[in-house]
Amino acid sequence: MQPASKLLSLTLLVLMGTELTQVLPANPEESWQVYSSAQDSEGRCVCTVVAPQQTMCSRDARTKQLRQLLEKVQNMTQSIQNLDQRTQKDLQYVQRMEVQLRGLESKFKQVEESHKQNIAKQYKAIKAKMEELRPMIPVLEEYKADAKLVMQFKEEVKNLTSVLSELQEEIGAFDYEELHNRVSNLEERLRACMQKLACGKLTGISDAITIKTSGSRYGSWMTDPLAPDGDTRVWYMDGYHNNRFVREYKSMADFMYSDNFTSHRLPHPWSGTGQVVYNGSIYFNKFQSNTIIKFDFKTATISKSGQLDYAGYNNRYHYSWGGHSDIDLMVDEGGLWAIYATNQNAGNIVISKINPLTLQVIKSYTTNHPKRSAGEAFMICGTLYVTNGYSGGTKVYYAFHTNSSTYEYIDIPLQNKYSHISMLDYNPRDRALYAWNNGHQVLYNVTLFHVIRSEEL
């Protein structure tokens, strides 16, 4: 037979200063008793539980007593949470006081270092205030230690919650086949979405990438945006007038690393640097005229020519850098465009959509931007983008949207690496800007922003 009662020591982790009271009936003959004893060396509370006589124990009584004990522990947990809230408030107060103390100490040091420049009365007052506050520092440090213990306790509870969540997920796991199907469906939707991103609003331009250094200060170079797959020929035209020879390089690599090229002689000299190669033909402005010529490289003949009515030429409405840049031909996702100015539009830029087969004007748009004030210009997705200059600090600052006939002022930096841009054109296949920068052929990658409507998904 065991002794009438036995002592069980239960160690509960609580904060320093928390006191346990008697939690069960006082008669040891009838039920359990829990008494608060002492703290151990680590600041934990050691509690003593007195069990009733075996003759008095029953399964129901133990169950009831244990339930009561559990409820008391839960109450203790609530007390800890309340203490946590109070401690957090105290910690905030401590932190504010600590900042004030540090600031006051710093000010005291400044006064002490420059005491000759301060009034003696102020010096003594600050020093006295400092002495009053110094005893509070140990108190603040104790508060910080208590807060650290509470944070450790909260971290343990958080870890336990995480374990329970993982267990719950294992019990109710997803059907992996169903999950795979959902992922596959999402991938298909994303691919369809990417296909709709062909056009967008210009939001950024990369730093200049130097491809080659050759030629004079002015010129143009380009690739054909409608060239078949595998055709990476580069077309190169040095100068802005009094020249008829176009160089053809077999590939971008040949252009970069060799001088192997085929030369094509045009029937007329070109004007400016606004030429463009499109679907196997070169479109250029005939020198000292407002005539556009389409020259077929395969047949080496003029396949079409036509006049751009009222367009200024012969340095009448050039870009700000000059160079007979009155008429600038360019291509975007929508096709062929001509940028020029007329007397009827007071020398401001006119944008005309051109039929590449007949060279007839499909539609024109008048803007309020003076042609002579533009450094260079290019088209992306039906929007004309204009730079503020051609030398020094350069940016794209004006945009005219042909889909709405509206304009806006923007601010997109354009790195002018070699200080003089005389040609700037967009290639929709490469999603890049081609530029002639003071005898250097450079590229810029562009960033386009596209808003996807829900019906497009």
Side-chain angles (χ1 to χ4, degrees):
M1 191 72 177
Q2 296 294 329
S5 64
K6 52 185 177 180
L7 299 180
L8 300 178
S9 295
L10 301 178
T11 303
L12 301 178
L13 176 60
V14 296
L15 293 177
M16 292 188 300
T18 302
E19 182 178 357
L20 291 176
T21 59
Q22 185 172 338
V23 298
L24 292 178
N27 189 352
E29 297 294 322
E30 296 179 355
S31 60
W32 296 58
Q33 281 188 298
V34 179
Y35 292 96
S36 171
S37 59
Q39 294 181 350
D40 63 11
S41 58
E42 297 179 359
R44 294 176 297 185
C45 181
V46 179
C47 300
T48 302
V49 178
V50 180
Q53 294 182 2
Q54 278 194 338
T55 57
M56 298 297 295
C57 291
S58 67
R59 185 170 183 176
D60 293 338
R62 283 201 305 271
T63 301
K64 180 179 180 181
Q65 293 164 4
L66 288 174
R67 188 182 303 112
Q68 292 174 345
L69 181 60
L70 179 59
E71 291 175 355
K72 202 62 180 180
V73 172
Q74 291 174 346
N75 293 336
M76 291 168 58
T77 301
Q78 182 64 36
S79 299
I80 290 175
Q81 292 176 351
N82 295 335
L83 178 59
D84 177 26
Q85 295 177 357
R86 292 197 301 270
T87 305
Q88 290 297 327
K89 293 180 180 178
D90 291 342
L91 179 60
Q92 294 176 1
Y93 172 77
V94 167
Q95 290 172 341
R96 290 196 298 268
M97 288 298 299
E98 189 175 29
V99 171
Q100 294 178 9
L101 283 172
R102 301 303 180 197
L104 188 58
E105 187 175 18
S106 175
K107 186 174 181 181
F108 174 76
K109 289 181 179 179
Q110 293 176 2
V111 172
E112 193 173 39
E113 292 172 356
S114 58
H115 63 280
K116 293 182 180 180
Q117 301 176 3
N118 290 276
I119 303 174
K121 184 177 179 180
Q122 292 179 341
Y123 175 82
K124 292 180 180 180
I126 293 174
K127 187 175 182 179
K129 189 66 176 178
M130 189 66 193
E131 293 300 326
E132 292 177 3
L133 293 174
R134 279 189 183 278
M136 294 187 63
I137 294 179
V139 178
L140 298 179
E141 294 297 332
E142 290 181 4
Y143 271 114
K144 292 172 66 176
D146 291 344
K148 184 177 180 180
L149 287 174
V150 173
M151 292 303 297
Q152 290 176 353
F153 180 78
K154 290 177 65 178
E155 187 65 26
E156 291 178 4
V157 174
K158 180 180 178 182
N159 293 339
L160 180 60
T161 303
S162 177
V163 172
L164 292 175
S165 298
E166 292 175 1
L167 182 61
Q168 184 177 7
E169 289 179 0
E170 290 178 1
I171 294 174
F174 281 111
D175 184 340
Y176 284 100
E177 184 176 353
E178 178 185 355
L179 184 61
H180 177 72
N181 292 336
R182 291 171 61 185
V183 172
S184 299
N185 178 262
L186 179 61
E187 288 178 345
E188 292 178 1
R189 292 174 62 192
L190 287 175
R191 289 194 191 97
C193 176
M194 291 300 296
Q195 293 175 358
K196 298 180 182 295
L197 297 181
C199 261
K201 182 179 180 180
L202 180 68
T203 58
I205 301 174
S206 73
D207 289 342
I209 304 170
T210 303
I211 302 299
K212 190 172 184 176
T213 301
S214 64
S216 63
R217 193 174 195 182
Y218 313 95
S220 61
W221 71 293
M222 66 216 75
T223 59
D224 188 345
L226 289 186
D229 292 340
D231 185 349
T232 60
R233 287 179 294 174
V234 176
W235 308 91
Y236 175 96
M237 305 170 72
D238 191 12
Y240 63 82
H241 75 298
N242 200 27
N243 193 350
R244 299 187 182 189
F245 293 94
V246 181
R247 294 182 184 180
E248 174 194 335
Y249 292 84
K250 291 183 179 180
S251 66
M252 185 67 74
D254 280 355
F255 176 67
M256 295 173 64
Y257 304 117
S258 75
D259 287 327
N260 299 324
F261 59 85
T262 300
S263 185
H264 300 268
R265 186 178 186 274
L266 301 179
H268 304 284
W270 65 76
S271 180
T273 59
Q275 305 84 16
V276 62
V277 174
Y278 188 59
N279 199 21
S281 297
I282 185 169
Y283 298 78
F284 67 95
N285 174 213
K286 180 182 176 182
F287 185 56
Q288 293 184 333
S289 74
N290 58 4
T291 300
I292 299 175
I293 293 179
K294 176 184 178 182
F295 181 82
D296 191 321
F297 282 119
K298 284 186 177 181
T299 62
T301 59
I302 296 175
S303 56
K304 201 67 181 178
S305 66
Q307 284 192 332
L308 204 55
D309 294 338
Y310 308 113
Y313 62 93
N314 201 25
N315 260 345
R316 182 174 182 83
Y317 294 123
H318 54 72
Y319 286 131
S320 57
W321 63 269
H324 292 266
S325 54
D326 303 79
I327 298 175
D328 190 3
L329 303 174
M330 52 189 68
V331 170
D332 72 351
E333 291 80 1
L336 181 65
W337 301 83
I339 308 302
Y340 55 98
T342 63
N343 291 335
Q344 289 78 359
N345 197 36
N348 294 324
I349 292 176
V350 177
I351 307 169
S352 290
K353 185 72 179 296
I354 305 295
N355 185 316
L357 300 177
T358 65
L359 299 185
Q360 296 295 312
V361 173
I362 300 173
K363 188 175 182 179
S364 293
Y365 307 84
T366 57
T367 76
N368 61 348
H369 194 290
K371 180 72 160 48
R372 285 174 171 265
S373 298
E376 268 290 344
F378 54 90
M379 294 287 296
I380 296 181
C381 298
T383 296
L384 178 72
Y385 294 95
V386 180
T387 68
N388 65 332
Y390 63 92
S391 62
T394 308
K395 65 180 179 179
V396 179
Y397 82 116
Y398 178 89
F400 185 92
H401 309 286
T402 59
N403 62 342
S404 59
S405 295
T406 59
Y407 71 92
E408 63 177 321
Y409 289 97
I410 57 179
D411 188 0
I412 302 176
L414 176 67
Q415 184 188 38
N416 194 343
K417 191 171 184 179
Y418 302 105
S419 303
H420 194 287
I421 297 177
S422 60
M423 170 258 177
L424 188 63
D425 272 339
Y426 173 69
N427 187 306
R429 183 179 69 173
D430 300 337
R431 283 256 181 118
L433 294 173
Y434 284 64
W436 191 290
N437 195 335
N438 205 6
H440 300 79
Q441 292 74 51
V442 302
L443 287 176
Y444 300 91
N445 292 316
V446 300
T447 301
L448 304 180
F449 176 76
H450 179 76
V451 178
I452 304 173
R453 297 184 298 273
S454 59
E455 60 267 21
E456 295 177 335
L457 297 177

